[in-house]
Amino acid sequence: MESKEYSNGEITIIWKPKLCIHSGICARSLPNVYKPKEKPWITPENATTEELIAQIHNCPSGALSFKYNNNDD
């Protein structure tokens, strides 16, 4: 399934457009991060990692998920 990834350095948000039901919960809870009319529409650097994870857990469709970035060099 097609997905798009957006990183803030600590985590990477994974968005699966085909699962998205456009409930708007993401944009209402973190309007500085999720801006559906802009490109890129997700700017994860505008919130803390904790805020992003909490919001992702509230996504009703499962279209948003995340993974921790491995910062081991």
Side-chain angles (χ1 to χ4, degrees):
M1 178 178 293
E2 178 190 343
S3 66
K4 297 190 181 218
E5 297 187 353
Y6 306 85
S7 179
N8 72 352
E10 286 186 278
I11 65 168
T12 297
I13 297 172
I14 303 158
W15 178 53
K16 295 180 179 168
K18 290 189 177 176
L19 289 180
C20 187
I21 60 171
H22 306 286
S23 69
I25 290 172
C26 57
R28 284 193 302 279
S29 60
L30 290 176
N32 290 331
V33 174
Y34 300 96
K35 299 179 181 182
K37 295 183 181 185
E38 296 182 13
K39 290 201 178 198
W41 80 279
I42 299 176
T43 50
E45 61 273 13
N46 291 341
T48 67
T49 295
E50 293 76 22
E51 289 171 326
L52 294 168
I53 291 170
Q55 185 285 308
I56 289 166
H57 286 307
N58 287 326
C59 178
S61 65
L64 292 171
S65 61
F66 75 95
K67 63 184 178 185
Y68 287 99
N69 296 339
N70 184 349
N71 293 327
D72 297 337
D73 289 328

